[in-house]
Amino acid sequence: MITVLKPGLLTSVMDLGRPGYQRHGVVVGGALDRFAARVANTIVGNDENAALLEMAQLGPELRFEVPTVVAWCGGGFEPRVGGEALPRDRAVRVAAGEVLWFGPARSGLRAWLAIAGGIDVPLVLGSRSTYRRAGFGGFHGRTLQAGDQLRLGEMSEVAQQRLTMAHRASTWSVRPDTLGKPAAAGTVRAMVGPEWEWFTLAAQQAFFSAEWTVTKDADRMGVRLAGPELPLVKEREMISEGVNEGIVQVPAGGAPIVLLASRQTVGGYPRLAAVAAVDLGRLAQLAPRQTVRFETISLGTAHALYLARERDLTRVRLGLSRLGV
Amino acid sequence: MLIRPLGDKALRVEVGERIDEATQARVQAACAAIEAASLPGVRELVPAYTTITVHYDPAAIAHAGAPSDDLAGWLGMRLEQVVKSAAKVKTTKPRIVEIPVCYGGEFGLDLARVAARAKLSPEAVVQRHVKGDYRVALVGFAPGFPYLIGLPKELATPRHAKPRIVVPAGSVGIAGEQTGIYPFATPGGWNLIGRTAVPLFDPLAEPPAHLQTGDRVKFRAITADEFAKREAAR
């Protein structure tokens, strides 16, 4: 059991999302950086899809009523537990009665905190992710509030072992953004989108060369960017159809929006580009006024990066199990 | 038919260029065929007016034997074969779903606006709306939100330039040539002509949306009394 002493700003229960119901208009949602969530869960010996906490900007203050193992991955928070710094990307033991304090993000925007056993909330349409707009999933379909009590699932044998570590924190760490082949700092890799040809040559070049600034219009549905104009060759209406995370939509004569996990299932704006799946986590760390550049890659390269990162995670998991830690 | 990548985790299959019955029928047939084929790595399908978005898992596609430098091409080829032979796949007859609607009054704040534009009386607008033979072309923008084609052309009315802050749940509206129903109270710019007490979305139901793409829809006018009875029964 965990008691929420202070909820933070936007802390909610997430897993890897609710796929399979997009044709009914149900958004996929889930952790905005799924890979980071998978790594955090792996570190505490959970199933990759176990429910954990997603926080943004200002994290929660939690009291643990039972001894357990936690791990956090993501942006530049400086959490503390029991008077000590809580290191990132490692398995960390927490004793019964200890309070974990997250505080504000010093850099980046979001983090994911996994707890051994996962957070025990009911499955809705096969997922434990919170869908705030429709008010279902996660912890009563909403962000956490002071006084909330979160039940935990049963921790795995691996987690039981980590409870008996010599030190509070594991000597090893797994940092999600070092797996696979990360992009250069401040850069996000993207492919051309289905309506690439609808845009002028100037627009195409501007997209991949400009420094884009994140506007205040940034949330779990998407990030709106400010920068050069992206004109169409000629005015045309697009017939609504399915979209995906990472798609860069450009409303008529407007600013581009990069879609994220809680995007709507369909869209009617021309799609200039599509961010590679491996770089979606970077988008989850972009706060207003930060800047980003897009680097063009091919679909083949995007897939190669994706498969390489999956292989690395598999190797990490095998490595940890062989270490017997 | 056109099959193109949509980023690195989806493909778009386009089977037509217009919003019409014939294209909708092709979308439904193609969707049924792709589902029946159970291709490896395909995670879900999202049918729309002229396309089916095929969401896939690149790792699963690679695992199924696709060349790692052309995962999308491998899947695309199989999709093409499946859709081309769609004519041979037996599609189930579309369901006909009746939606009882209380038109006008407090439930239809824009009925007069639609009537004025069509140069008809509000009663005539209701009669023609009810006579329409509708098909669900798309469910999206909100869980369970159906986009229907088949609105009588004379009732087409452009949406409000400034959307309402709140459109009550169950509201039946018109935007351009589309008609639809709001499953939840949300902001919205559609022209509201009536309201239904039928719940359009329930996350605990299987399937969770009351209306699905391909369904035929008939509207039926009911009185305010009947509406109140249905609301109370929910």
Side-chain angles (χ1 to χ4, degrees):
Chain A
M1 182 78 80
I2 299 176
T3 304
V4 178
L5 300 177
K6 293 209 183 93
L9 202 58
L10 288 166
T11 309
S12 59
V13 175
M14 291 293 176
D15 57 16
L16 300 181
R18 183 173 280 116
Y21 298 92
Q22 290 184 70
R23 68 197 305 173
H24 302 295
V26 181
V27 312
V28 177
L32 230 56
D33 182 350
R34 281 199 200 105
F35 194 73
R38 292 166 66 193
V39 170
N41 272 326
T42 299
I43 294 170
V44 299
N46 284 348
D47 197 80
E48 283 186 6
N49 191 29
L52 41 49
L53 292 182
E54 174 178 279
M55 64 194 77
Q57 254 176 277
L58 178 66
E61 196 173 330
L62 311 166
R63 188 177 63 227
F64 287 75
E65 313 299 351
V66 291
T68 187
V69 180
V70 306
W72 74 275
C73 300
F77 289 80
E78 287 168 5
R80 303 183 69 76
V81 66
E84 301 170 38
L86 174 63
R88 58 186 303 141
D89 309 324
R90 290 172 201 270
V92 178
R93 209 175 41 228
V94 176
E98 282 196 311
V99 172
L100 198 158
W101 172 89
F102 254 86
R106 305 284 177 200
S107 62
L109 189 59
R110 293 186 174 88
W112 293 271
L113 174 70
I115 301 132
I119 298 174
D120 186 6
V121 288
L123 287 168
V124 178
L125 294 172
S127 166
R128 294 188 168 90
S129 288
T130 309
Y131 182 27
R132 286 171 67 202
R133 271 187 144 218
F136 64 76
F139 191 81
H140 303 291
R142 60 168 174 77
T143 54
L144 299 184
Q145 293 168 7
D148 286 345
Q149 301 224 284
L150 303 172
R151 297 206 341 220
L152 300 172
E154 211 178 290
M155 67 171 79
S156 66
E157 269 184 41
V158 164
Q160 299 273 10
Q161 280 184 324
R162 290 175 192 168
L163 253 188
T164 63
M165 291 185 298
H167 303 284
R168 188 204 264 284
S170 60
T171 50
W172 48 268
S173 68
V174 183
R175 188 166 171 137
D177 58 9
T178 60
L179 299 181
K181 198 163 165 263
T187 301
V188 164
R189 293 163 293 197
M191 299 145 272
V192 300
E195 285 81 47
W196 173 253
E197 307 288 332
W198 290 27
F199 293 85
T200 63
L201 184 59
Q204 295 173 345
Q205 289 175 333
F207 180 74
F208 281 114
S209 61
E211 190 179 64
W212 293 90
T213 307
V214 179
T215 67
K216 285 194 293 70
D217 273 327
D219 60 20
R220 284 184 44 91
M221 282 179 69
V223 173
R224 193 183 300 260
L225 302 170
E229 301 245 309
L230 297 171
L232 293 174
V233 171
K234 66 167 192 256
E235 259 204 54
R236 334 171 36 165
E237 278 282 305
M238 197 180 114
I239 296 174
S240 293
E241 56 175 81
V243 291
N244 205 3
E245 305 179 83
I247 290 290
V248 181
Q249 300 185 133
V250 187
I257 303 165
V258 189
L259 299 180
L260 296 176
S262 282
R263 60 179 177 88
Q264 284 165 345
T265 54
V266 294
Y269 297 128
R271 299 157 297 188
L272 174 61
V275 171
V278 293
D279 285 347
L280 291 173
R282 289 231 170 155
L283 295 172
Q285 298 301 343
L286 291 177
R289 288 202 296 274
Q290 282 195 281
T291 61
V292 66
R293 278 183 197 279
F294 293 96
E295 180 195 319
T296 175
I297 60 169
S298 68
L299 176 56
T301 302
H303 279 151
L305 291 169
Y306 186 90
L307 294 177
R309 196 175 70 165
E310 289 299 309
R311 275 196 300 272
D312 280 1
L313 181 57
T314 303
R315 272 195 211 111
V316 160
R317 221 181 292 121
L318 283 173
L320 287 180
S321 68
R322 279 205 200 104
L323 271 179
V325 294
Chain B
M1 169 175 40
L2 201 60
I3 302 185
R4 286 260 183 79
L6 177 69
D8 52 6
K9 295 187 79 179
L11 290 178
R12 70 184 289 273
V13 177
E14 187 183 282
V15 297
E17 286 172 19
R18 265 190 279 280
I19 300 178
D20 59 32
E21 270 287 342
T23 308
Q24 255 309 287
R26 279 206 295 280
V27 167
Q28 294 307 314
C31 216
I34 299 170
E35 273 178 314
S38 294
L39 296 170
V42 172
R43 288 295 173 254
E44 70 180 299
L45 306 178
V46 183
Y49 292 112
T50 60
T51 57
I52 301 119
T53 304
V54 179
H55 291 265
Y56 66 86
D57 172 7
I61 303 283
H63 190 72
S68 47
D69 59 356
D70 195 16
L71 302 179
W74 186 92
L75 178 61
M77 242 176 27
R78 275 153 184 75
L79 285 171
E80 193 170 2
Q81 286 167 357
V82 164
V83 173
K84 280 224 172 87
S85 49
K88 305 191 191 105
V89 173
K90 230 175 60 157
T91 50
T92 48
K93 273 193 94 73
R95 307 183 305 167
I96 302 177
V97 183
E98 190 189 76
I99 304 279
V101 178
C102 185
Y103 287 93
E106 59 174 300
F107 301 141
L109 296 175
D110 297 314
L111 185 55
R113 183 178 195 248
V114 172
R117 192 185 164 85
K119 296 196 176 51
L120 296 168
S121 69
E123 291 79 24
V125 168
V126 172
Q127 269 176 20
R128 289 178 194 218
H129 192 258
V130 163
K131 269 220 191 72
D133 190 17
Y134 303 93
R135 180 99 107 134
V136 181
L138 184 53
V139 176
F141 291 110
F145 189 126
Y147 278 72
L148 309 175
I149 55 173
L151 180 73
K153 288 203 160 38
E154 62 272 20
L155 303 184
T157 312
R159 61 187 88 194
H160 293 281
K162 212 164 166 247
R164 285 196 171 84
I165 307 270
V166 177
V167 169
S171 294
V172 177
I174 292 173
E177 288 181 19
Q178 298 167 118
T179 192
I181 315 171
Y182 285 81
F184 305 103
T186 56
W190 291 45
N191 296 285
L192 311 180
I193 60 172
R195 204 177 303 173
T196 180
V198 172
L200 288 168
F201 184 78
D202 176 5
L204 301 175
E206 184 63 57
H210 185 66
L211 291 172
Q212 298 170 50
T213 50
D215 286 346
R216 304 212 91 92
V217 172
K218 294 292 294 169
F219 290 107
R220 182 169 68 86
I222 60 172
T223 62
D225 273 348
E226 201 188 326
F227 180 88
K229 281 206 196 88
R230 285 170 174 270
E231 275 266 287
R234 276 177 73 168

